[in-house]
Short mmCIF file of all heavy atoms in Angstrom, two decimals:
data_model
loop_
_atom_site.label_atom_id
_atom_site.label_comp_id
_atom_site.label_asym_id
_atom_site.label_seq_id
_atom_site.Cartn_x
_atom_site.Cartn_y
_atom_site.Cartn_z
N ALA A 28 0.90 31.60 0.23
CA ALA A 28 1.80 30.47 -0.03
C ALA A 28 3.24 30.99 -0.11
O ALA A 28 3.51 31.98 -0.80
CB ALA A 28 1.41 29.79 -1.33
N ARG A 33 4.81 27.46 -3.54
CA ARG A 33 4.48 27.93 -4.90
C ARG A 33 5.23 27.14 -5.96
O ARG A 33 4.67 26.82 -7.01
CB ARG A 33 4.75 29.43 -5.03
CG ARG A 33 3.78 30.28 -4.22
CD ARG A 33 3.85 31.75 -4.58
NE ARG A 33 5.18 32.26 -4.81
CZ ARG A 33 5.97 32.82 -3.88
NH1 ARG A 33 5.54 32.95 -2.65
NH2 ARG A 33 7.17 33.27 -4.21
N ASP A 43 4.51 27.39 -15.58
CA ASP A 43 5.93 27.76 -15.65
C ASP A 43 6.36 28.39 -14.34
O ASP A 43 7.48 28.21 -13.89
CB ASP A 43 6.18 28.72 -16.81
CG ASP A 43 5.94 28.07 -18.16
OD1 ASP A 43 5.93 26.83 -18.24
OD2 ASP A 43 5.74 28.82 -19.14
N ALA A 44 5.46 29.17 -13.72
CA ALA A 44 5.74 29.80 -12.43
C ALA A 44 4.44 30.18 -11.75
O ALA A 44 3.43 30.44 -12.40
CB ALA A 44 6.60 31.05 -12.64
N LEU A 45 4.50 30.20 -10.44
CA LEU A 45 3.42 30.71 -9.61
C LEU A 45 4.08 31.74 -8.70
O LEU A 45 4.67 31.40 -7.69
CB LEU A 45 2.76 29.58 -8.81
CG LEU A 45 1.62 29.95 -7.86
CD1 LEU A 45 0.50 30.68 -8.58
CD2 LEU A 45 1.08 28.70 -7.17
N ASP A 46 4.05 32.99 -9.13
CA ASP A 46 4.81 34.04 -8.46
C ASP A 46 4.15 34.55 -7.19
O ASP A 46 4.83 35.08 -6.31
CB ASP A 46 5.05 35.21 -9.42
CG ASP A 46 5.91 34.79 -10.60
OD1 ASP A 46 6.83 33.98 -10.41
OD2 ASP A 46 5.64 35.25 -11.72
N ARG A 47 2.84 34.42 -7.10
CA ARG A 47 2.11 34.87 -5.91
C ARG A 47 0.83 34.07 -5.82
O ARG A 47 0.18 33.81 -6.82
CB ARG A 47 1.78 36.36 -6.04
CG ARG A 47 1.18 36.99 -4.80
CD ARG A 47 1.06 38.51 -4.98
NE ARG A 47 0.21 38.83 -6.12
CZ ARG A 47 -1.12 38.87 -6.07
NH1 ARG A 47 -1.75 38.60 -4.95
NH2 ARG A 47 -1.82 39.17 -7.13
N PHE A 48 0.48 33.67 -4.60
CA PHE A 48 -0.77 32.96 -4.38
C PHE A 48 -1.28 33.30 -2.99
O PHE A 48 -0.67 32.93 -1.99
CB PHE A 48 -0.57 31.45 -4.54
CG PHE A 48 -1.85 30.64 -4.50
CD1 PHE A 48 -3.07 31.16 -4.91
CD2 PHE A 48 -1.82 29.33 -4.07
CE1 PHE A 48 -4.23 30.41 -4.88
CE2 PHE A 48 -2.98 28.55 -4.04
CZ PHE A 48 -4.18 29.11 -4.45
N ALA A 69 -3.77 35.36 -7.55
CA ALA A 69 -2.51 34.71 -7.92
C ALA A 69 -1.92 35.33 -9.18
O ALA A 69 -2.65 35.81 -10.04
CB ALA A 69 -2.75 33.21 -8.15
N ASP A 70 -0.61 35.30 -9.26
CA ASP A 70 0.11 35.67 -10.47
C ASP A 70 0.76 34.40 -10.99
O ASP A 70 1.60 33.79 -10.31
CB ASP A 70 1.19 36.73 -10.18
CG ASP A 70 0.58 38.06 -9.77
OD1 ASP A 70 -0.48 38.41 -10.30
OD2 ASP A 70 1.18 38.74 -8.92
N VAL A 71 0.33 33.98 -12.19
CA VAL A 71 0.83 32.74 -12.77
C VAL A 71 1.51 33.01 -14.10
O VAL A 71 1.26 34.03 -14.74
CB VAL A 71 -0.31 31.70 -12.97
CG1 VAL A 71 -1.02 31.42 -11.66
CG2 VAL A 71 -1.28 32.15 -14.03
N GLU A 72 2.38 32.10 -14.47
CA GLU A 72 2.98 32.14 -15.80
C GLU A 72 2.81 30.77 -16.43
O GLU A 72 3.16 29.76 -15.83
CB GLU A 72 4.47 32.49 -15.71
CG GLU A 72 5.11 32.72 -17.05
CD GLU A 72 6.54 33.20 -16.91
OE1 GLU A 72 6.74 34.37 -16.52
OE2 GLU A 72 7.44 32.39 -17.19
N ALA A 83 1.96 35.71 -18.84
CA ALA A 83 1.66 36.06 -17.45
C ALA A 83 0.18 36.37 -17.32
O ALA A 83 -0.40 37.08 -18.15
CB ALA A 83 2.50 37.27 -17.04
#
Side-chain angles (χ1 to χ4, degrees):
R33 291 192 320 268
D43 294 341
L45 179 56
D46 296 323
R47 187 173 60 83
F48 187 28
D70 293 325
V71 303
E72 187 174 288

